[in-house]
Amino acid sequence: MALNHQLFSDKKNSKRHLFVMRHGERCDFTFGRSWLNFCFDDKGNYTQRDLNLPVSMVRRDSFKDYHKDSPLTEIGKFQARATGEAFKKAKVNIQHIYVSPSLRCVQTAQGVIEGLGNNLLRMRIEPSGFEWLGWYKSALPVWLTPTQMMEAGFNVNNEHKPFVTVKDLNVEENVIEYYNRCHKLAKHIIDTHKDDDGDILIVAHAGSLDTFTRELQGKPPRDSQEMHNMLSSFSYCCLCCCAEEGPQEWKLSAPPIPPLQGFDWRVMI
């Protein structure tokens, strides 16, 4: 850990790093799919019925939208802040944050920003950072708009133009196309900031750690079975680090902070 700390704190030896992080603990997986009926009445009034449920809820057009767009639990918010605090302690220089439109990812990114103590950071919302669309063929979630997120108090760059819009997402994509979608976004992000100092953080989903970095390393996408077999290894707020070794050359390396719940990034090698 000391070697990693020196690497990230010594500007003379610094190189760009791309971090990809899963969101924190989510309400629906923790309390079951019926949690909405447990916490909301017929008029949409919310009651915190467990201390790990959110103290309050983000206002949205219908509380039923939470069914496919779950918020974080209170533990999930703690996990996100703790990760941000660890980044700060390790002197990681995060300058750019890109986020899936899922509320759980936005809340996680907000917690990281608060843990870093850098209120000037503004997350950029990218619909193509969402997880595999094959799980949502019936209908995509109804996400908050960046403007609604900003009005709810999240540090969002409301002027950011996403690489791919929501209407251009292909719900018929297969797993290979999912990998390609994430790779294209990763390349776009890296190229956008090729002349900038500082590191990049993408906050998205469990599979995102692999889908955003696999082809970046020159490796082929995994097939559906291999990807699904890996998913159980990715704990909440798990993190991977991809280091720029040279022009168009990236390689996975040990993250500069300890993992949550014992996640081993080497499962992706």
Side-chain angles (χ1 to χ4, degrees):
M1 186 61 65
L3 290 177
N4 283 335
H5 181 85
Q6 181 180 8
L7 172 68
F8 279 83
S9 62
D10 185 354
K11 281 203 166 225
K12 292 181 180 179
N13 296 323
S14 66
K15 49 188 170 183
R16 284 201 303 171
H17 295 83
L18 172 68
F19 297 98
V20 187
M21 176 182 175
R22 186 191 181 192
H23 58 77
E25 183 182 82
R26 52 192 287 183
C27 287
D28 54 354
F29 280 16
T30 302
F31 292 96
R33 296 290 184 180
S34 62
W35 76 277
L36 289 177
N37 297 329
F38 181 53
C39 297
F40 288 91
D41 63 21
D42 293 339
K43 296 181 180 179
N45 297 310
Y46 173 75
T47 301
Q48 185 194 32
R49 298 192 181 278
D50 188 287
L51 290 179
N52 192 28
L53 283 164
V55 174
S56 61
M57 300 294 287
V58 177
R59 182 176 297 180
R60 57 197 315 169
D61 294 338
S62 172
F63 75 91
K64 294 180 180 179
D65 292 338
Y66 285 115
H67 176 66
K68 287 188 176 181
D69 190 27
S70 175
L72 295 182
T73 63
E74 290 300 302
I75 287 176
K77 295 175 185 177
F78 168 80
Q79 292 168 331
R81 286 194 303 272
T83 303
E85 290 168 357
F87 274 138
K88 182 178 181 180
K89 184 177 181 181
K91 303 185 187 303
V92 177
N93 184 28
I94 293 175
Q95 292 295 316
H96 312 287
I97 300 183
Y98 288 80
V99 186
S100 160
S102 292
L103 178 58
R104 57 190 179 273
C105 298
V106 173
Q107 289 179 314
T108 299
Q110 185 67 30
V112 171
I113 290 171
E114 292 171 1
L116 284 167
N118 185 356
N119 197 48
L120 296 178
L121 278 173
R122 291 289 183 268
M123 63 183 91
R124 296 173 171 93
I125 307 301
E126 284 288 351
S128 58
F130 189 54
E131 61 188 345
W132 182 40
L133 299 175
W135 292 321
Y136 297 87
K137 289 184 177 181
S138 59
L140 287 173
V142 177
W143 295 306
L144 295 167
T145 66
T147 298
Q148 289 173 322
M149 294 175 189
M150 187 176 66
E151 291 173 348
F154 297 112
N155 286 42
V156 172
N157 182 342
N158 193 38
E159 298 180 356
H160 173 68
K161 304 299 182 185
F163 181 56
V164 174
T165 63
V166 174
K167 66 181 181 62
D168 291 326
L169 293 176
N170 174 24
V171 295
E172 299 296 329
E173 71 178 1
N174 57 37
V175 168
I176 302 300
E177 291 168 332
Y178 168 43
Y179 270 85
N180 291 337
R181 164 166 60 89
C182 293
H183 174 62
K184 289 177 181 177
L185 178 57
K187 283 288 295 175
H188 170 73
I189 292 171
I190 288 168
D191 291 343
T192 297
H193 302 292
K194 63 182 178 181
D195 297 322
D196 298 355
D197 292 329
D199 299 318
I200 300 165
L201 171 65
I202 297 174
V203 180
H205 306 269
S208 302
L209 278 72
D210 198 52
T211 58
F212 275 103
T213 61
R214 180 82 176 166
E215 293 179 82
L216 203 59
Q217 302 171 76
K219 298 179 180 180
R222 301 183 195 273
D223 61 31
S224 177
Q225 188 62 51
E226 189 176 9
M227 185 192 77
H228 281 87
N229 288 343
M230 289 184 63
L231 289 181
S232 62
S233 302
F234 296 94
S235 55
Y236 290 123
C237 281
C238 61
L239 179 79
C240 73
C241 174
C242 213
E244 187 175 29
E245 300 292 325
Q248 307 298 316
E249 184 180 356
W250 293 78
K251 183 179 180 181
L252 284 178
S253 61
I257 63 175
L260 273 165
Q261 299 174 304
F263 172 73
D264 187 350
W265 62 274
R266 288 169 293 188
V267 70
M268 299 163 54
I269 296 177

